[in-house]
Amino acid sequence: MKTTHSFIENVLLQIPPASKNLRAMALLLVKRLKKNPGDFWSWDNLANLFFSEGFVLQSIDIYHKALKIKPALPVLHLRIGIAYYRLAYLGKAIVELEKAVSLDPDLAMAHYYLGFAYHHRGDSDQSLHHFQRVKEISPETRIVYYHMAEAYLQRRRFQDAVDVLEKLLKVSPCSATAWCALGEAYLGLYKNLEAAKAFRSALKHNPQDKRAETMLDMLTDAPSI
C-alpha cells in the first residue's frame, strides 16, 4: 500500500503547475486509487489522461500499474505499444504490440502500428504483413493501401505498389502523396510517361510538392515526355 501511495504522489509531482486541468482531473482519480489501489478503471483512465495531455513517458508507468491488474487485456498492450511508438522506442513498441495481437489476432489498430514500427525498423516484409492484416480485418480503412505501397516500394515490388495505389486513388483521387508514390512506382517499372502523368497529378493537388516538382523536371528533360 505504501509503495502505491508513493507512486501516486510521485505521479502528481510530475504534473507541471501550469497544467491545472490535468491536475484537477488526476486528483479525482488519485482519490479513488488511494482508497482502492486495485481499481483498474482508475489506473487506466489516469494513464489515458497523461497520454492525451502529452505526458507519454509518465503514462507508460501508469499503464503498467493497470497491466498488473489485467495482464491479458489486449487493448492495454496496444496502448503501451502506441506510447512506446510515440517515443520512438520501436523495439519496446513491437514487443507490446505483438503481445496485443497474440491475445487478439483481429486487433486492427495493433497491426496498423506494427506496420509502422517494422517499417521504421527497415523490416518491410513484416511491415507489409501487418498492413495486409489491417486490410483483411478492416477493408474500409483505405489509407492502409498507401502504407502497403510504401512497403512494396521499399521491397522494389513496383507493380504491386501500382496496384494498391490505383485502388487508393479511385476513392481518394485528390491525394497528392498517393500520386507522388504512384509516380515513383512507375519510375521503378521504367514507365516514364505514366510516371510524369502521376507527378503532374500530384502537383495539381499540391503545387508545393517539391518532390513531385523535382521528379517531373527530371523526366520532362526528355522531349517525348
Side-chain angles (χ1 to χ4, degrees):
M1 182 75 74
K2 186 177 179 181
T3 302
T4 299
H5 281 193
S6 299
F7 178 86
I8 292 171
E9 292 301 328
N10 186 53
V11 165
L12 291 174
L13 286 172
Q14 293 181 56
I15 301 174
S19 302
K20 293 180 181 178
N21 289 337
L22 174 59
R23 177 173 290 277
M25 290 185 284
L27 280 170
L28 295 173
L29 294 167
V30 163
K31 274 187 182 180
R32 292 173 58 100
L33 288 167
K34 284 183 175 179
K35 290 179 182 177
N36 179 16
D39 182 355
F40 169 82
W41 182 89
S42 293
W43 284 119
D44 189 44
N45 278 277
L46 187 61
N48 290 338
L49 179 61
F50 269 73
F51 182 89
S52 66
E53 292 293 320
F55 298 93
V56 181
L57 187 60
Q58 293 88 337
S59 76
I60 293 172
D61 290 336
I62 304 170
Y63 278 130
H64 275 105
K65 289 289 186 180
L67 195 62
K68 286 182 179 179
I69 301 168
K70 293 191 177 183
L73 189 64
V75 72
L76 201 46
H77 289 285
L78 167 64
R79 289 171 184 161
I80 295 171
I82 292 173
Y84 277 131
Y85 178 82
R86 282 275 300 273
L87 294 169
Y89 296 159
L90 298 180
K92 290 182 177 181
I94 287 170
V95 168
E96 291 298 331
L97 293 166
E98 289 286 9
K99 285 179 184 176
V101 297
S102 70
L103 292 165
D104 182 358
D106 293 333
L107 191 57
M109 189 61 74
H111 287 290
Y112 191 69
Y113 274 95
L114 276 167
F116 283 120
Y118 279 118
H119 174 75
H120 291 303
R121 281 265 293 256
D123 190 338
S124 55
D125 286 338
Q126 280 294 329
S127 174
L128 183 58
H129 165 74
H130 287 288
F131 285 136
Q132 286 173 329
R133 287 290 292 129
V134 176
K135 178 173 166 285
E136 292 166 8
I137 298 162
S138 183
E140 70 279 3
T141 309
R142 302 295 182 184
I143 190 60
V144 77
Y145 285 112
Y146 176 75
H147 301 306
M148 287 174 65
E150 281 192 315
Y152 282 135
L153 287 170
Q154 197 175 46
R155 296 292 297 158
R156 301 184 65 79
R157 291 170 59 178
F158 299 116
Q159 187 58 55
D160 289 325
V162 167
D163 293 342
V164 295
L165 286 164
E166 286 181 343
K167 288 179 182 176
L168 174 60
L169 286 163
K170 282 181 181 177
V171 294
S172 301
C174 297
S175 173
T177 305
W179 280 114
C180 195
L182 183 62
E184 292 179 27
Y186 277 130
L187 274 180
L189 293 170
Y190 303 104
K191 294 184 177 181
N192 291 0
L193 184 61
E194 289 87 344
K197 288 178 180 177
F199 289 127
R200 284 194 186 99
S201 293
L203 285 169
K204 174 184 173 183
H205 298 294
N206 179 14
Q208 307 304 315
D209 192 325
K210 297 299 182 184
R211 166 71 175 164
E213 184 180 12
T214 300
M215 296 306 295
L216 187 58
D217 285 345
M218 180 189 74
L219 284 166
T220 51
D221 281 344
S224 62
I225 297 175

